[in-house]
Amino acid sequence: MSAPRSKQQDAVRVNFDFRRELAEKIEGNLASFCYQCGACVGDCPAATYSEEFNPREIMLKVLYGLGDELLTTDSVMWQCVNCYNCHERCPQEVKPVEVIISLKNMLADRDIVPTPVDRIIKTFEQTGRTTQVSPAVNRQRERFGLPPLPAVPMDEVQKLLEPAQKEGDQT
Ligand code: SF4
Ligand code: SF4
């Protein structure tokens, strides 16, 4: 029979280095206010369709600073569709979606970006849109009585992208 665990062995060790790194990505240490009520889960489309994804559990891991579990090559973070339902539901103003976006940024800093997401980023850099607009899209818009999509001001997009590109060049 193995020896009983001591109180010290059972103590939760919070990884504050990870939490500090996350705090640099997001204004305020938002997850600190999470009291694990689970209200963010009920209306979360990602949690509805995926057994792996749960914003409450993600906030708990953030509270413990479990970066090794959050920033994995098969991270569930990309399943979040940024709908902001969790933000509307959270009584503590944790803004789980913004914590998750920051975690996605940390994944990107580590070059952990799934191929479909990488494709969206490249399309945005080239066209200013997240998906290509084919002539068929404008034909369909015309059928619905909508005008063609306006041209994207790529000089404005370039200005928005410049800080991130400079940051990337320095790393
Ligand atoms: S923003 Fe993400 S975590 Fe929040 S409810 Fe939508 S899919 Fe779920
Ligand atoms: S709704 Fe807010 S306080 Fe409740 S578990 Fe989700 S993040 Fe935490």
Side-chain angles (χ1 to χ4, degrees), residues 33-41 55-56 59 86 89-96:
F33 302 107
C34 173
Y35 56 22
Q36 289 288 293
C37 67
C40 51
V41 185
R56 181 193 61 74
M59 295 311 116
C86 51
R89 295 280 168 166
C90 177
Q92 288 292 89
E93 306 213 352
V94 167
K95 299 187 189 165

Side-chain angles (χ1 to χ4, degrees), residues 13 16 22 30 34 57 59 71 76-77 97 101 112 117 120 130 137 142-143 152 159:
R13 288 180 199 282
F16 287 102
L22 177 63
L30 303 174
C34 173
E57 284 177 7
M59 295 311 116
L71 305 180
V76 295
M77 236 51 70
V97 56
I101 289 171
I112 305 174
V117 176
I120 291 169
T130 51
V137 171
E142 201 179 343
R143 271 201 297 279
V152 175
K159 274 188 213 152

Side-chain angles (χ1 to χ4, degrees), residues 40 43-46 53 55 79-87 97 100:
C40 51
D43 236 3
C44 169
F53 188 88
Q79 295 179 15
C80 168
V81 294
N82 296 2
C83 67
Y84 276 73
N85 282 355
C86 51
H87 173 47
V97 56
I100 291 168

Side-chain angles (χ1 to χ4, degrees), residues 46-149:
T48 302
Y49 292 104
S50 165
E51 286 178 10
E52 303 167 313
F53 188 88
N54 183 314
R56 181 193 61 74
E57 284 177 7
I58 292 170
M59 295 311 116
L60 184 60
K61 286 182 181 176
V62 168
L63 284 169
Y64 287 156
L66 299 178
D68 290 349
E69 291 185 28
L70 289 162
L71 305 180
T72 56
T73 49
D74 58 350
S75 171
V76 295
M77 236 51 70
W78 305 103
Q79 295 179 15
C80 168
V81 294
N82 296 2
C83 67
Y84 276 73
N85 282 355
C86 51
H87 173 47
E88 288 183 15
R89 295 280 168 166
C90 177
Q92 288 292 89
E93 306 213 352
V94 167
K95 299 187 189 165
V97 56
E98 298 202 358
V99 177
I100 291 168
I101 289 171
S102 302
L103 291 166
K104 287 177 182 170
N105 286 334
M106 289 172 79
L107 283 160
D109 288 348
R110 289 157 170 76
D111 278 332
I112 305 174
V113 180
T115 307
V117 176
D118 196 41
R119 217 175 285 139
I120 291 169
I121 293 168
K122 290 205 168 74
T123 304
F124 182 75
E125 286 172 346
Q126 286 160 9
T127 68
R129 298 187 196 279
T130 51
T131 51
Q132 298 275 6
V133 179
S134 66
V137 171
N138 277 329
R139 280 200 298 276
Q140 204 168 16
R141 288 177 65 85
E142 201 179 343
R143 271 201 297 279
F144 288 121
L146 297 168
L149 284 167

